[in-house]
Every structure is written in structure tokens, then in C-alpha cells.
Amino acid sequence: MIYIAIILIGILIYLVYATVNINSQVYLKAICKGDSSQNKIAITFDDGPNNKFTTNILKSLSKTNTKAAFFIIGKNIQGNETILKQTADEGHIIGNHSFAHSFGYDFNNVEEFILDTEMAQRKIQAIIRTTPLLFRPPYGISTPKMGRAIKQLNLTTIGWSVRSMDTTLKRKDDLWAKVKSVKGGDIVLFHDSTPFMAEFLEEWIPQCQQNGLEIVGLDELLNIKCYA
Ligand SMILES: [Zn+2]
């Protein structure tokens, strides 16, 4: 009896792990890192665009001559259209990060996942005039239904190998410790809703370069197409 209970608890833990961990590859094939024998890394920003911090982040990226990827929430585009256009115009990669980024996203059925993702695609397309091929699920969640939806939509799912936890930090200095182990091949997850991000990037990017790391776009790191 006790063995059956242990096995059932083990299965349950595995299913939860597979759902909340984008690196698990159980329900959704996600690319979470590049070739670690290279000295290249990519940086990514989720949850924008926003009119508080995104523009300053773009400024810091431009100053340091750095190309990044922005995973856009469809509903955040309204009122921030020029910021999204500027992001794409400045050569950054634009990906889909769902339309609603809703709480309970993981309980969607296949049709709901498809509708939500397509709605974000249309909003992004209307501004950047091209169709993103890259998708990152909210909260790094993956479910069997989401896996089927994203496969049907022919999108490439991008995860991360370094999660900076920037949204939980209060001070810029705390972020250094979170990304200190970054190495070749890594995909780093940041958010453009983090107030001190722009300032951090202007210090951290030159430090990466001094350490021999080259920050490149996801297309170059992973040798993939970002637009249809
Ligand atoms: Zn998000």
C-alpha cells in the first residue's frame, strides 16, 4: 500500500514538474539554450511593451550595440504601438507571449490556446508588418493541450536557461548575483517591466563582453528563423 502511495506521489510530482518547467520538454518542445561550445548568449525580455521602462531599455541596448528579443503580450500593445514599432525597427526580435497572459492560462483547452495566440499574432503583425514564429508561454507553463495548439500553429517555443527572477528583486545590485553564472549558449530571461533594468544593462553588458561573451540575437544563437 505504502509503495503504491509513493509511486502515485512520484507521478504527481513529475506531472507538476512537467507543467511548470519549460525545460522539461514533456508536453512542449522548447528550445532553452544554444550551443554551449560557443561564447555567444542571447538576452530576452518578457511582458512588454510598456510605456514606463521599455523605451529606456531600448536606449541602453542601442548604447551598448546589443540585439535582444522581446516576447510581447498582445493586450499590452494598445497605447504602446509606437514602442513596439520602435523595438522592431531597431532590429530586436519580436516574439509572441500570448494575448492575455491570464492567470489560469494553463487550464485553457486547445481552441482557447489557439485563439489567444492568434489574437496576439494579429496585434503584433498589424504593427511590425511581419509574422513572428517564436512563442514563449506565460509563466513558462506547458500542458498537453498547449503543446498541441503550438504545434498546430507551427510556432517555435523558446524557453530560457537562466531565469534572472528580476521581477522579484528590489535592487539592481541583487540582479548581478542572479546572472553571474551566465555562460556560452545561455538564453537569459529578463522582463522589460523591471524598473532598474535599463541601468543594469548598461553595466552588465560591457561586463559580459569583458568576460568574452558575445550577446547575439536568438536567430544567430540558435540558427533559427524568427519570422514567417
Ligand atoms: Zn510573462
Side-chain angles (χ1 to χ4, degrees):
M1 194 62 196
I2 185 101
Y3 294 116
I4 293 171
I6 289 170
I7 289 168
L8 288 177
I9 289 168
I11 291 171
L12 193 68
I13 290 171
Y14 176 74
L15 292 176
V16 171
Y17 161 80
T19 304
V20 298
N21 189 336
I22 196 161
N23 284 278
S24 75
Q25 311 290 338
V26 177
Y27 302 131
L28 189 70
K29 198 176 162 300
I31 305 176
C32 297
K33 65 184 304 184
D35 177 0
S36 55
S37 68
Q38 303 179 42
N39 61 348
K40 294 173 180 174
I41 65 167
I43 60 175
T44 64
F45 297 92
D46 284 9
D47 293 358
N50 72 72
N51 59 13
K52 274 186 163 166
F53 309 114
T54 307
T55 313
N56 282 341
I57 288 169
L58 291 177
K59 244 183 242 164
S60 298
L61 293 173
S62 164
K63 262 192 210 168
T64 51
N65 209 6
T66 302
K67 186 172 165 184
F70 288 76
F71 286 91
I72 302 295
I73 298 178
K75 72 172 184 191
N76 286 356
I77 295 173
Q78 196 172 9
N80 295 316
E81 290 86 349
T82 49
I83 299 173
L84 176 57
K85 184 163 187 322
Q86 184 192 345
T87 310
D89 286 349
E90 293 184 2
H92 302 295
I93 293 160
I94 304 297
N96 183 326
H97 191 43
S98 84
F99 177 79
H101 204 285
S102 53
F103 205 65
Y105 180 77
D106 42 332
F107 296 109
N108 279 353
N109 61 34
V110 177
E111 289 71 33
E112 286 165 337
F113 277 123
I114 289 177
L115 278 175
D116 178 89
T117 313
E118 283 185 329
M119 204 191 305
Q121 287 292 75
R122 280 197 298 277
K123 298 279 178 195
I124 295 170
Q125 273 167 350
I127 306 295
I128 72 168
R129 302 281 165 203
T130 181
T131 308
L133 286 178
L134 306 187
F135 170 74
R136 176 176 278 163
Y139 318 109
I141 291 283
S142 68
T143 71
K145 287 170 184 165
M146 184 203 292
R148 286 207 291 280
I150 297 307
K151 202 170 172 191
Q152 272 191 51
L153 292 167
N154 265 323
L155 298 175
T156 303
T157 304
I158 304 293
W160 56 80
S161 54
V162 176
R163 188 175 202 167
S164 71
M165 305 302 289
D166 52 346
T167 53
T168 65
L169 305 175
K170 294 211 164 51
R171 299 173 327 126
K172 180 190 71 179
D173 290 348
D174 298 335
L175 194 45
W176 283 89
K178 299 287 182 190
V179 292
K180 73 170 189 291
S181 62
V182 169
K183 56 193 179 312
D186 274 332
I187 298 172
V188 185
L189 166 62
F190 293 124
H191 294 81
D192 48 336
S193 48
T194 299
F196 47 80
M197 184 54 68
E199 210 184 322
F200 172 77
L201 291 171
E202 286 188 35
E203 295 170 12
W204 180 71
I205 290 172
Q207 189 65 53
C208 285
Q209 289 159 345
Q210 268 183 31
N211 293 344
L213 289 173
E214 189 190 348
I215 300 175
V216 299
L218 285 171
D219 50 347
E220 186 177 337
L221 183 78
L222 305 173
N223 199 19
I224 52 168
K225 264 180 77 178
C226 299
Y227 300 105

